[in-house]
Amino acid sequence: MRRELTEEIFRVADSRSFETTAMEVFRLQAAECPVYREYLQLLGVDAGSIGDIFSVPFMPVSFFRDHNVFTGEGAPEQVFTSSGTAGMRRSRHAVRNVALYDESLERTFRLFYGDPSEYAIMGLLPSYLEREGSSLIYMVNRLMTLSGHSFGGFFLDDHKALMKAIDSARLAGVQVLLIGVTFALLDMAESHPADLSDALIMETGGMKGRRREMIRDEVHEIIREAFGVTSVHSEYGMTELLSQAYSAGEGLFRSPPWMKVLIRDSHDPMAHSDAAGTAGGISVIDLANIWSCSFVATADLGRMHEDGLFEVQGRFDEADLRGCNLLIS
């Protein structure tokens, strides 16, 4: 591998440079990721015959649950594990270079929200805090560190303490960003409705069996009414990806330049499109996954919109329910 390839990930500026870099990453992983290499062999795919990203076979996300997905040699610096109910096998993402994840996270946040130091970041993430290896906890903690404000922090289920911290940040003139798992935000909406119209509220999905599954519009309406916000932000991410997409409202997500969503035909998993209006399974190219697998066929269903925007509409029926960003309709 060329030494410059990891640096080129964040230099991607347009579709042409994305495709060039993505195809180089594909050739690397087809040769040096044993699990992905074997998958291509079982499909009868000659990596040398693949000429564009729409022809690349995407590896099922479940492989992160059943196999050690790792490209190249060496040992991981961090292992992220997915959430799940008791007895469920969890996905494991062995992260060779945590600094690469940090750079992807920070660049994406700055792209969509600006400097983290402009925010007091609050995390309402019970169940994630109660276990080890959560990439979501790592992500929010990293943003808190970059923020540098003492007002922020994690709040298990102490809504009174959270409201007190929000009031302190407001008095200091600092913008509040509240990042919460869906069921926890709904719990807070019931127990402590308040005027948070000057705050940004971001849901990360997930009911964790605590509540009935609800469509996104219903969830957002409850949150809007309880806290007086005009829109609810969302984060689309998962253990198996090192990049995130964000929505500023209406459930429409935008990804950073080094991450691209394609829609695969529900009846032909090898057929992909990025045309507006296309609906089906969500496949993701995440170039930050260079040391695992960058071509992941998720268990989510979605639809493409104009300008690369996409929405998440649900999950395939046979998919395990997990705490990634999705609400079953």
Side-chain angles (χ1 to χ4, degrees), residues 117-194:
S117 67
E118 297 175 357
Y119 299 89
I121 299 175
M122 321 280 180
L124 189 60
L125 303 167
S127 75
Y128 290 87
L129 281 171
E130 297 162 348
R131 67 178 183 84
E132 295 182 356
S134 167
S135 58
L136 179 59
I137 294 296
Y138 182 95
M139 181 192 86
V140 177
N141 187 66
R142 176 66 179 170
L143 291 175
M144 288 177 182
T145 300
L146 293 171
S147 164
H149 288 291
S150 60
F151 309 109
F154 289 105
F155 300 84
L156 190 60
D157 53 15
D158 192 342
H159 299 153
K160 290 183 178 179
L162 173 55
M163 291 304 303
K164 184 177 180 180
I166 289 174
D167 288 340
S168 296
R170 286 164 137 181
L171 286 173
V174 181
Q175 172 76 67
V176 171
L177 171 56
L178 172 59
I179 303 176
V181 64
T182 303
F183 78 82
L185 288 174
L186 292 175
D187 287 348
M188 183 175 167
E190 290 181 356
S191 66
H192 285 78

Side-chain angles (χ1 to χ4, degrees), residues 32 96 115 119 135 159 162 172 183 199-200 206 209 223 227 249 288 325:
E32 298 188 26
R96 175 176 173 177
D115 194 326
Y119 299 89
S135 58
H159 299 153
L162 173 55
F183 78 82
L200 293 182
I223 294 173
F227 302 121
N325 191 343

Side-chain angles (χ1 to χ4, degrees), residues 93-108:
H93 193 169
V95 181
R96 175 176 173 177
N97 186 352
V98 175
L100 193 66
Y101 175 80
D102 291 343
E103 185 168 4
S104 176
L105 169 62
E106 182 175 351
R107 283 178 177 266
T108 303

Side-chain angles (χ1 to χ4, degrees), residues 21-287:
T21 306
M23 291 308 299
E24 192 164 355
V25 170
F26 166 72
R27 288 188 286 270
L28 167 70
Q29 294 177 343
E32 298 188 26
C33 178
V35 172
Y36 190 47
R37 182 175 65 236
E38 184 176 0
Y39 176 61
L40 296 177
Q41 291 171 349
L42 290 173
L43 290 176
V45 172
D46 175 13
S49 68
I50 302 297
D52 59 68
I53 58 175
F54 296 95
S55 303
V56 170
F58 285 72
M59 188 185 77
V61 69
S62 61
F63 279 30
F64 282 90
R65 182 188 63 205
D66 301 323
H67 305 278
N68 182 35
V69 182
F70 200 76
T71 293
E73 300 178 350
E77 295 180 349
Q78 179 98 20
V79 177
F80 292 133
T81 57
S82 67
S83 57
T85 57
M88 180 186 294
R89 287 179 298 171
R90 301 176 187 271
S91 286
R92 299 175 71 259
H93 193 169
V95 181
R96 175 176 173 177
N97 186 352
V98 175
L100 193 66
Y101 175 80
D102 291 343
E103 185 168 4
S104 176
L105 169 62
E106 182 175 351
R107 283 178 177 266
T108 303
F109 190 88
R110 289 181 180 277
L111 179 64
F112 295 128
Y113 291 97
D115 194 326
S117 67
E118 297 175 357
Y119 299 89
I121 299 175
M122 321 280 180
L124 189 60
L125 303 167
S127 75
Y128 290 87
L129 281 171
E130 297 162 348
R131 67 178 183 84
E132 295 182 356
S134 167
S135 58
L136 179 59
I137 294 296
Y138 182 95
M139 181 192 86
V140 177
N141 187 66
R142 176 66 179 170
L143 291 175
M144 288 177 182
T145 300
L146 293 171
S147 164
H149 288 291
S150 60
F151 309 109
F154 289 105
F155 300 84
L156 190 60
D157 53 15
D158 192 342
H159 299 153
K160 290 183 178 179
L162 173 55
M163 291 304 303
K164 184 177 180 180
I166 289 174
D167 288 340
S168 296
R170 286 164 137 181
L171 286 173
V174 181
Q175 172 76 67
V176 171
L177 171 56
L178 172 59
I179 303 176
V181 64
T182 303
F183 78 82
L185 288 174
L186 292 175
D187 287 348
M188 183 175 167
E190 290 181 356
S191 66
H192 285 78
D195 180 7
L196 300 182
S197 55
D198 56 350
L200 293 182
I201 298 180
M202 180 184 294
E203 55 94 3
T204 68
M207 290 298 191
K208 300 292 294 174
R210 308 286 185 96
R211 286 173 168 265
R212 69 178 177 87
E213 297 298 334
M214 303 162 66
I215 62 173
R216 186 184 304 277
D217 287 348
E218 184 180 1
V219 169
H220 285 200
E221 180 61 24
I222 293 172
I223 294 173
R224 285 196 299 266
E225 289 188 0
F227 302 121
V229 293
T230 56
S231 63
V232 179
H233 294 237
S234 302
E235 179 257 354
Y236 181 78
M238 58 188 71
T239 299
E240 301 85 355
L241 301 176
L242 296 188
S243 299
Q244 306 82 31
Y246 291 100
S247 166
E250 306 301 325
L252 295 180
F253 291 90
R254 187 180 297 279
S255 56
W258 55 90
M259 176 185 181
K260 182 176 178 64
V261 164
L262 301 178
I263 299 296
R264 67 182 182 277
D265 191 309
S266 297
H267 303 290
D268 181 2
M270 297 301 158
H272 285 83
S273 172
D274 63 354
T278 305
I282 292 178
S283 292
V284 179
I285 303 175
D286 182 5
L287 300 184

